[in-house]
């Protein structure tokens, strides 16, 4: 949907929308005749909500396209991921609570191991050094100075950090240095637009100085810069829908994308129970909550079918406590599929469950990929979810006379 | 899908994709409560593949739009048929193995019968003269000379031929001469763009000379020019997807469109068994095969329900031999529907069967239009098939971080 159309239709109401996102929820059977993770899980509460609600399958980005977490969440929040793009540097920066300015250029940094003689990359993650080591190295790199601009370095986790250039005249449109394989040299940062050549030069100067400072370190004697970009300046959800939006997520990237969309990111503990507590504490303050469950995806990526089943079951046990808050609209889905058998994000559609007092009921009585195939929502797209949520919340006026 | 996005995401893998196209596959029941051709056919092997795979219905071009063979196949190969258009002259030329240059203008020619006095068309196919007669007439027309450009005439089959203008300064954007009805005069070739007026003049001169040369012939004392166009310069499938593509088809037009898409057109005998032999012989040489079955469409066009059933059953018997080659992804569908009861191409959706180790299974246990309505693929578009095939073949990387 065109966001300007939505902005024009949105209207006030005293209703609350709850978007429950189980990251990587969609799955596949382990054997041809088997069940998916969600179908295997004992989910009496999700099943009951499916019975009372309406189900379907949703394509996160486009048929056959496997979304990264950024595009997957953009689509969930109603943004066309082909039109709006977020650099990974920006996401990581916001995710650690870094206050990014609209003119900043942010890069995700990865410490890596370089062959001392050839300078070829031998390990793209520097043996996954612990966070303490990464933090010490970031302190070291923080001393680098560049002409006219500030170069801020902040650790993220393990081998990952962010580099933010701050100052006048910085431009985006910059390529990554990570060749995505070992046994080859790093790539220089290159401008994809003429205006960005100055910024590319600054980043290459920074890299040179970084490698001097890291020369005696082991295994992290080098670093790569990826996803170099600035804040894409997304239209803000509170402006579009008139919703006060709160985000509950434990992992930096999801907190980052929620903030970019204009949500208030709420401080929360790490466990699912903590997240539910956070939701309860802030329930009166917001009209829309994005509630993110990370561990379904982690288990899928690890190829651990059973652990993914258990995370889903854990979430199911907490669902009654969530529903007791009495939301007006509930959506349960994921940002993309992460089948344990595929051990990575995949292109498969997501099961979607929509409940409100005004849904049109279907015959689905269990929440699972197969039941959702014949659900009343049919096959939709993630960008349909926000308009559907707003409509069911009585927050969209009539289009046209 | 934007082909540039696909090009950016495509990645190498050691997997093989098999696109099995039964031309005009989609059908209708003969009586309101009857079965379609596909549902009537005994297809134990397709049914078993449907049981193991995922099914759905696919719109070839757009709801209500009946595709010609060109747009139907363009969509199958992932090209938006509204954006990419192939003139029929170009298809026919490539189909007979004519080496078309990018600057050539190609027209499909049809011998016709004109009333000697009024010059009105009395038979648009000149009584379907035999190929030998058509060939002799083409030799005659080959003698026509035009100022500055070459005019090449080649027989295709029966009353059909191609005319290719070759030289400097030729432009496309030209209307056809066939009024699509009898009892009316031919139309002149007219330019739809100012730049093409010189080329229109040349074609009208050629037609005048052709009619002089054919004046004493009977019944083919005239000819029409249709689908006058040049090579559309399609983005090439091997470049977009990194696939070595082979095409197995017995009929010129399908070989032509496959070649335009960048496939290697393989020499094959005419029978279905020959086509399977060709597939087997070349199996190691390509990553993607387009395998075309023509006779389903011919039977449908002839209104011969039973013969269409038999062609489908014949194909089904050969399917185990095809699957024994161990493809990683198999798609079975058609380029458009040709219901025997309609005796022509139609707009109806196509049944689609997709199999790979990574499909999400559904409850469909037979390959037919009705079972496909509740299949797990839902209702998709033909242009989704190539992205889905590439994804299931592990040949697409993640979109965005």
């Amino acid at each position: 949907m065109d966001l300007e159309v939505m902005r024009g239709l949105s209207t006030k109401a005293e209703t609350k929308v709850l978007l429950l996102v189980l990251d990587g929820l969609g799955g596949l059977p382990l054997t041809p005749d088997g069940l998916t993770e969600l179908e295997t899980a004992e989910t009496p509460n999700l099943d009951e909500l499916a019975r009372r609600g309406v189900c379907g399958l949703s394509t996160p980005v486009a048929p056959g396209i496997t979304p990264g977490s950024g595009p997957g969440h953009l689509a969930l929040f109603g943004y066309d991921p082909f039109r709006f793009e977020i650099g990974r540097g920006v996401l990581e920066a916001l995710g650690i609570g870094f206050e990014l300015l609209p003119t900043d250029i942010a890069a995700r940094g990865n410490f890596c191991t370089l062959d001392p003689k050839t300078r070829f990359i031998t390990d793209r993650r520097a043996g996954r050094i612990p966070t303490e080591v990464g933090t010490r190295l970031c302190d070291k790199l923080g001393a680098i100075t560049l002409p006219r601009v500030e170069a801020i370095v902040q650790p993220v986790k393990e081998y990952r950090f962010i580099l933010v250039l701050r100052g006048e005249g910085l431009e985006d449109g910059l390529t990554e240095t990570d060749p995505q394989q070992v046994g080859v040299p790093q790539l220089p940062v290159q401008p994809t637009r003429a205006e960005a050549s100055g910024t590319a030069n600054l980043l290459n100067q920074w890299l040179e100085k970084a490698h001097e400072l890291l020369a005696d370190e082991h295994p992290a004697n080098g670093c790569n810069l990826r996803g170099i970009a600035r804040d894409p300046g997304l239209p803000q959800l509170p402006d579009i829908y008139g919703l006060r939006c709160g985000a509950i997520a434990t992992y930096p990237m999801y907190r980052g994308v929620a903030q970019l969309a204009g949500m208030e990111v709420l401080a929360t503990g790490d466990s699912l129970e903590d997240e539910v507590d956070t939701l309860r504490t802030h329930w009166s303050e917001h009209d829309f909550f994005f509630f993110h469950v990370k561990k379904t995806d982690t288990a899928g990526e690890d190829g651990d079918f059973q652990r993914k089943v258990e995370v889903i079951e854990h979430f199911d046990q907490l669902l009654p406590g969530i529903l007791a808050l009495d939301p007006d609209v509930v959506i349960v889905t994921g940002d993309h599929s992460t089948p344990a058998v595929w051990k990575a994000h995949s292109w498969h559609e997501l099961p979607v469950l929509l409940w409100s007092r005004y849904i049109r009921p279907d015959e689905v009585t269990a929440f699972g990929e197969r039941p959702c195939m014949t659900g009343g929502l049919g096959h939709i797209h993630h960008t349909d979810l926000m308009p559907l949520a707003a409509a069911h919340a009585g927050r969209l006026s009539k289009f046209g006379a």
Side-chain angles (χ1 to χ4, degrees), chain A residues 269-277 291-293 311 314-315 318:
Chain A
D270 265 356
S271 75
L272 268 184
E273 284 80 359
D274 291 338
E275 290 190 71
V276 175
D277 281 345
F291 185 101
H292 183 259
V293 177
V311 177
H314 184 188
F315 174 79
L318 299 178

Side-chain angles (χ1 to χ4, degrees), chain A residues 141-147 149 151 205-206 209:
Chain A
L141 297 183
I144 295 174
T145 58
L146 290 175
V149 303
Q205 282 177 47
W206 184 90
K209 294 184 182 190

Side-chain angles (χ1 to χ4, degrees), chain A residues 7 22 109 124 183 192 199 206 216 279 295 318 357 378 386:
Chain A
R7 193 195 302 268
L22 283 79
R124 290 175 54 241
T192 60
T199 309
W206 184 90
D216 297 329
L279 181 67
K295 288 185 176 168
L318 299 178
R357 267 172 288 276
M386 281 300 295

